[in-house]
Amino acid sequence: MEKQMKKNSNLGTWVTTFNPDFLEVLSNTGFGWIAIDMEHSCISIKEFYILVGISKKLKLETFVRLDKSDHILIKKSLDSGVDGIIFSLVNTVSDVEKIRDLSLYSPLGNRGVALARPQLFGLKFQEYLNSSNRKLKIILQIESKSGIDNLDKILKLRNIFGVILGSYDLSSSLGKIGNFQSKDFKNYKNKFFNISKKHKTKIGIHLADYNLKLDHKNVSRYDFYAIGTDNIIQIKECQRIRKIIKN
């Protein structure tokens, strides 16, 4: 039996199904973080809460991907103990101001106060209150033409940990869904990267279909990267096995 691989803190993946065993596999094969997708998946809030608890015990840095306008789920996610939130389809300065208002405690925002898991249901309330605004990682998913056009103004705001490029939705906003080789896509991707570097913001990318030139050079320019999803990783492995077993 191989030994547990050392975690790569930059390497993560998307979790789209309720499969606690998959988190154990990730933790023991070198993955450092996960993003539980509560925007596109059918994971229930109860299942989400369980996954967060397991992930934290496995020392996987735990994020949730949410719609920026889902006020209730933002509250529930923060109270579950996630390390950060990836907010989808961020396009304007106003979007970010609302996100900060919902995610940060006073005086930086107006996050609701509850006795919940992150502060042991009140046992470590003051300790958590003192550190939460500083430790929470707010990541903006920039996935449209307008989002990149406004990115320079957006990144002048404070309390933003990083940005992540949403390649598929960006290609859709450019009228060329899934075409990552078009001149427009490449230009906007470079613009995203250059503006983020200018503001010294952490830069991430989600390579959902990791057949797209997955190599060290392709991901090393980013500070963090999500490779595939739980389902896509299983699909790729099944396809690999089928190619080996030709008959």
Side-chain angles (χ1 to χ4, degrees):
M1 181 69 71
E2 293 185 6
K3 293 182 179 180
Q4 178 178 342
M5 296 179 68
K6 182 180 178 181
K7 282 187 173 64
N8 178 342
S9 61
N10 299 326
L11 173 62
T13 192
W14 243 237
V15 173
T16 63
T17 60
F18 180 67
N19 185 354
D21 290 346
F22 182 69
L23 303 187
E24 293 196 51
V25 172
L26 292 174
S27 177
N28 284 277
T29 52
F31 282 72
W33 63 275
I34 62 166
I36 304 172
D37 192 344
M38 294 297 286
E39 182 188 21
H40 286 294
S41 80
C42 293
I43 296 172
S44 70
I45 189 65
K46 181 178 180 180
E47 291 169 341
F48 166 72
Y49 192 80
I50 293 170
L51 289 174
V52 172
I54 293 170
S55 180
K56 299 286 284 184
K57 287 179 181 178
L58 292 170
K59 300 189 185 312
L60 286 166
E61 193 167 23
T62 309
F63 295 86
V64 58
R65 198 262 288 269
L66 298 175
D67 184 282
K68 60 183 178 292
S69 62
D70 195 332
H71 297 196
I72 300 301
L73 196 49
I74 291 171
K75 289 181 183 180
K76 290 180 182 292
S77 296
L78 291 168
D79 288 341
S80 75
V82 295
D83 296 293
I85 300 180
I86 299 171
F87 289 96
S88 66
L89 205 60
V90 175
N91 292 318
T92 66
V93 167
S94 178
D95 287 343
V96 181
E97 289 173 340
K98 291 175 183 176
I99 285 168
R100 294 190 309 177
D101 191 60
L102 291 168
S103 304
L104 302 173
Y105 286 125
S106 174
L108 300 181
N110 287 293
R111 175 184 169 183
V113 181
L115 303 181
R117 177 194 272 167
Q119 10 86 357
L120 284 176
F121 310 97
L123 290 176
K124 294 186 177 181
F125 178 75
Q126 195 59 49
E127 179 182 336
Y128 177 74
L129 195 62
N130 291 342
S131 64
S132 177
N133 284 350
R134 174 172 45 84
K135 290 184 177 181
L136 180 67
K137 294 181 177 179
I138 295 175
I139 297 176
L140 311 178
Q141 189 163 23
I142 308 298
E143 43 190 340
S144 71
K145 180 179 179 292
S146 61
I148 294 176
D149 285 339
N150 291 321
L151 189 57
D152 190 53
K153 293 178 182 178
I154 287 171
L155 293 183
K156 289 178 181 178
L157 300 176
R158 301 183 65 183
N159 306 109
I160 304 304
F161 174 78
V163 290
I164 187 167
L165 182 66
S167 298
Y168 274 98
D169 280 332
L170 174 59
S171 68
S172 177
S173 78
L174 295 169
K176 301 173 183 178
I177 299 176
N179 185 350
F180 306 129
Q181 302 305 317
S182 74
K183 183 178 179 180
D184 284 343
F185 182 87
K186 289 182 177 179
N187 286 341
Y188 268 91
K189 183 177 178 180
N190 287 334
K191 184 176 180 180
F192 163 84
F193 191 84
N194 292 334
I195 292 172
S196 301
K197 276 291 186 183
K198 168 188 168 184
H199 289 276
K200 299 181 180 179
T201 303
K202 298 283 187 181
I203 308 171
I205 191 168
H206 182 202
L207 293 172
D209 184 350
Y210 53 88
N211 276 346
L212 300 173
K213 297 183 180 179
L214 177 58
D215 55 49
H216 180 71
K217 184 179 179 180
N218 192 33
V219 299
S220 62
R221 68 190 301 211
Y222 296 95
D223 299 299
F224 59 99
Y225 28 86
I227 309 299
T229 71
D230 44 8
N231 281 331
I232 291 174
I233 288 172
Q234 292 179 88
I235 288 170
K236 299 297 185 187
E237 183 61 13
C238 289
Q239 289 174 333
R240 187 186 71 84
I241 292 170
R242 187 65 186 91
K243 286 180 180 179
I244 294 172
I245 311 299
K246 295 181 180 179
N247 299 318

